[in-house]
């Protein structure tokens, strides 16, 4: 397995990877910067240094709040390679940072007596059901937003990742078929799918779609005039465009390039907006950070939600991980990392940190609150350089706390190089196994047909002719029926395992392994080819049978 920060790690980077880096020649004051201007200058210098350490990064934007005031909202770099500069009003996809906004929407409805955290979901959505029927009347609203129902990591994400044509109603109808692999409330498994349900609770209790509630009851009240609840309305001319590495040899390798002409081209989660739909700017998100630190109080003294609700949203509901705590080599390692209600809560260098990350194709972002310092910040990027965002997250936190004992930039550059080397070696091993692989048991045409999974739906395998005359060959192509980008040639790999070559190289290829009975394929399973594949490609959860 390669050393790489996956999107899961970008969302929850509570542990420091690797050994200690040498102390940098630059150091800031050992005491925390109490002067807002000095703090802003230190963070500004650190962001510039981080970008210098990761020179392929097109853009970074930062929002920094101290004492209820935005002390730094700034863009660095360009919207697209060779393009115009970003600024504090440039839009970025923030993906799962949206989850805290969905929980704030629920908190508002709880204050109004329309929802209760510990009321069964069926109180508001009578048709809600799961693949374990015994849980149907037990799952509460709090469970939906705590990642503790028992779904596996990223379960059901293929319903909307990559961009799908499904509606919210269709996603809700698929939920009873999505497998639950673990015990109820026993373990933490990150689950976007249940935040879709949480958004439907907001809609049912308020009488308006999730995005309309967020717009009118949160964004408008905070004066977040640039922010959009759904990315489909984002103007490409005002947006930082997505960038990434799409190989060869694997995704996340090769040169940096623009991978979309708009946010929505690579990230259309309008059907799953409550899990990751918001696009925003540093200037706007600073207002969100300020109201979080103020426990729901707005600048005019009124409240978005009560202090009681604010405290509830920061109260841990499930343990993510635990350890012996920080060491010289791992200075940021938490003794306990937990998930609360739309927020991760952990210790960091002896202080409480409230945080969440967000990862989308071409974007990684994060929000960090340090209540004991009355400070918080967010970083937004338009590429997938997760070691850069790791450096921003921990480095800026250290500046706020007055720490200067670890060089997060140098450590990230080292780990990225090690990860790249291991990923390239893994790619070579995958190709070598294919070159030495046994031929399929059957003629390729025997694997053709419509293959159905109970929650995803149909995957179609068809005969495909290439070439002309004597060079004409018959092969296979595979197509996910509800996911336009997941289609392309299917080729022999090893025995009854075939592999895809999706035409859209922004996507992750998959192995498909067939089970034969009486000389015919009757069922199949899938898994991602690359060890670095994002967890939302939950191919492994598919259980395909031939129609």
């Amino acid at each position: 397995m390669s050393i790489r920060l996956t999107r899961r790690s970008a969302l929850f980077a509570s542990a420091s990877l690797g050994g200690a880096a040498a102390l940098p020649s630059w150091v800031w004051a050992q005491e925390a910067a109490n002067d807002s201007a000095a703090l802003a200058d230190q963070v500004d210098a650190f962001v510039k240094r981080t970008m210098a350490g990761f020179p392929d990064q097109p853009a970074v934007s930062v929002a920094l709040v101290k004492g209820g005031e935005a002390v730094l909202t700034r863009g660095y770099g360009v919207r697209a390679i060779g393009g115009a500069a970003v600024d504090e009003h440039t839009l970025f996809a923030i993906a799962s940072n949206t989850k805290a906004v969905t929980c704030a929407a629920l908190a508002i409805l709880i204050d109004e007596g329309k929802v209760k955290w510990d009321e069964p979901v069926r109180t508001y959505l009578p048709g809600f059901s799961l693949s374990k029927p015994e849980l149907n009347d037990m799952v509460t609203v709090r469970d939906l937003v705590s990642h503790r129902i028992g779904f596996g990591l990223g379960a059901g994400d293929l319903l909307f990742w990559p961009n799908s044509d499904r509606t919210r109603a269709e996603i809700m109808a698929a939920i009873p078929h999505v497998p639950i692999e673990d015990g109820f409330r026993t373990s933490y498994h990150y689950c976007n799918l249940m935040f879709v349900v949480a958004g439907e609770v907001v809609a049912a209790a308020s009488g308006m779609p999730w995005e309309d509630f967020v717009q009118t009851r949160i964004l408008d009240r905070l004066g977040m005039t640039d922010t959009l609840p759904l990315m489909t309305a984002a103007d490409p001319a005002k947006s930082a465009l997505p960038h990434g590495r799409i190989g060869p040899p694997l995704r996340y390798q090769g040169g940096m390039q623009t991978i979309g002409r708009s946010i929505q081209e690579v990230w259309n989660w309008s059907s799953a907006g409550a899990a990751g739909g918001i696009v925003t700017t540093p200037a706007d998100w600073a207002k969100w950070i300020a109201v979080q630190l103020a426990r729901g109080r707005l600048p005019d003294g009124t409240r978005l939600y009560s202090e009681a609700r604010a405290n509830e949203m920061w109260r841990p509901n499930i343990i993510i991980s635990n350890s012996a705590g920080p060491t010289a080599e791992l200075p940021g390692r938490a003794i306990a990392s937990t998930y609360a209600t739309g927020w991760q809560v952990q210790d960091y260098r002896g202080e409480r940190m409230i945080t969440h990350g967000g990862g989308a194709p071409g974007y990684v972002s994060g929000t960090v609150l340090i209540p004991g310092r009355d400070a918080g910040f967010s970083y937004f990027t338009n590429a997938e350089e997760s070691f850069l965002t790791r450096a921003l997250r921990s480095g800026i936190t250290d500046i706020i706390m007055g720490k200067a004992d670890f060089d997060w930039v140098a450590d990230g550059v080292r780990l990225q190089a090690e990860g790249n080397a291991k990923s390239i070696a893994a790619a070579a091993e995958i190709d070598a196994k294919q070159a030495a692989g046994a031929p399929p048991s059957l003629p390729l045409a025997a694997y053709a047909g419509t293959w159905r999974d109970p929650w995803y739906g149909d995957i179609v395998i068809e005969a495909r002719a290439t070439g002309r005359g004597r060079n004409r060959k018959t092969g296979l192509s595979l197509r996910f029926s509800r996911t336009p980008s997941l289609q392309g040639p299917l080729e022999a790999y090893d025995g009854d395992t075939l592999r895809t070559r999706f035409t859209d190289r922004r996507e992750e290829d998959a192995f498909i392994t067939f089970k034969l009975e009486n000389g015919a394929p009757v069922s199949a399973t899938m898994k991602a080819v690359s060890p670095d594949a994002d967890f939302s490609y939950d191919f492994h959860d598919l259980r395909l049978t031939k129609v």
Side-chain angles (χ1 to χ4, degrees), residues 15-360:
S16 301
L17 300 177
L23 289 177
S25 58
W26 48 270
V27 290
W28 39 78
Q30 290 292 330
E31 70 277 2
N34 293 314
D35 177 76
S36 294
L39 177 62
D41 287 345
Q42 291 176 7
V43 171
D44 176 69
F46 180 74
V47 174
K48 292 174 180 175
R49 180 177 177 272
T50 303
M51 291 193 72
F54 295 87
D56 289 346
Q57 178 67 38
V60 168
S61 284
V62 172
L64 174 66
V65 175
K66 173 76 173 176
E69 299 293 329
V71 299
L72 179 67
T73 55
R74 186 168 298 173
Y76 307 78
V78 293
R79 292 194 309 106
I81 293 172
V86 297
D87 61 24
E88 68 272 24
H89 297 292
T90 302
L91 288 166
F92 288 79
I94 63 168
S96 287
N97 286 282
T98 301
K99 289 179 169 64
V101 178
T102 295
C103 291
L106 289 166
I108 292 168
L109 292 167
I110 290 168
D111 279 337
E112 295 175 351
K114 296 178 180 178
V115 174
K116 293 181 180 179
W117 284 126
D118 296 311
E119 190 75 10
V121 173
R122 281 191 159 192
T123 303
Y124 315 103
L125 301 173
F128 175 74
S129 60
L130 298 166
S131 60
K132 288 186 176 181
E134 64 271 23
L135 300 182
N136 290 346
D137 293 317
M138 298 172 62
V139 172
T140 66
V141 175
R142 191 188 303 275
D143 293 322
L144 294 178
V145 294
S146 300
H147 306 299
R148 65 182 190 182
I149 292 173
F151 289 99
L153 174 63
D157 279 1
L158 279 174
L159 293 169
F160 38 84
W161 165 298
N163 290 351
S164 171
D165 61 4
R166 282 186 172 86
T167 65
R168 287 177 196 167
E170 288 176 313
I171 293 172
M172 294 293 292
I175 289 173
H177 306 288
V178 178
I180 295 175
E181 67 179 35
D182 208 344
F184 183 49
R185 296 178 185 163
T186 60
S187 303
Y188 167 87
H189 301 283
Y190 195 78
C191 183
N192 289 300
L193 187 60
M194 290 300 99
F195 270 83
V196 178
V197 181
E200 292 303 277
V201 171
V202 170
S206 69
M208 65 179 80
W210 170 86
E211 59 268 31
D212 292 350
F213 187 92
V214 167
Q215 182 67 59
T216 58
R217 299 297 304 277
I218 297 178
L219 303 181
D220 290 349
R221 287 204 65 195
L222 270 62
M224 296 173 68
T225 54
D226 291 332
T227 302
L228 300 165
L230 295 178
M231 73 298 293
T232 48
D235 182 351
K238 299 178 181 178
S239 304
L241 300 185
H243 293 73
R245 304 177 190 274
I246 61 174
L250 295 173
R251 187 71 164 86
Y252 307 114
Q253 294 296 315
M256 181 70 71
Q257 59 184 281
T258 306
I259 61 171
R261 295 161 294 181
S262 65
I263 292 174
Q264 54 268 36
E265 181 182 333
V266 297
W267 185 250
N268 183 353
W269 270 28
S270 53
S271 61
I278 289 177
V279 294
T280 192
T281 68
D284 264 9
W285 201 247
K287 300 171 186 177
W288 171 250
I289 294 171
V291 78
Q292 297 307 302
L293 292 169
R295 311 294 205 282
R297 189 182 68 253
L298 299 176
D300 63 4
T302 62
R303 285 197 160 271
L304 187 65
Y305 47 79
S306 66
E307 185 170 2
R309 300 291 85 75
N311 292 336
E312 285 176 340
M313 284 189 281
W314 289 358
R315 188 184 77 190
N317 292 324
I318 191 77
I319 295 172
I320 297 173
S321 63
N322 66 91
S323 76
T327 66
E329 293 76 23
L330 301 169
R333 188 170 67 171
I335 295 172
S337 177
T338 70
Y339 202 87
T341 307
W343 290 102
Q344 181 184 356
V345 180
Q346 68 175 79
D347 58 287
Y348 181 92
R349 293 184 178 267
E351 300 187 35
R352 183 169 64 151
M353 171 190 281
I354 317 294
T355 184
H356 212 289

Side-chain angles (χ1 to χ4, degrees), residues 455-475:
W455 62 267
Y456 176 82
D458 290 350
I459 294 170
V460 179
I461 298 176
E462 299 172 313
R464 177 179 62 93
T466 59
R468 295 182 179 181
R470 294 180 179 179
N471 295 322
R472 185 177 179 83
K473 295 181 180 179
T474 299

Side-chain angles (χ1 to χ4, degrees), residues 385-400:
E385 304 291 86
S386 53
F387 285 107
L388 171 140
T389 53
R390 172 182 179 265
L392 292 171
R393 177 185 185 273
S394 297
I396 297 174
T397 302
D398 283 358
I399 292 172
I400 293 170

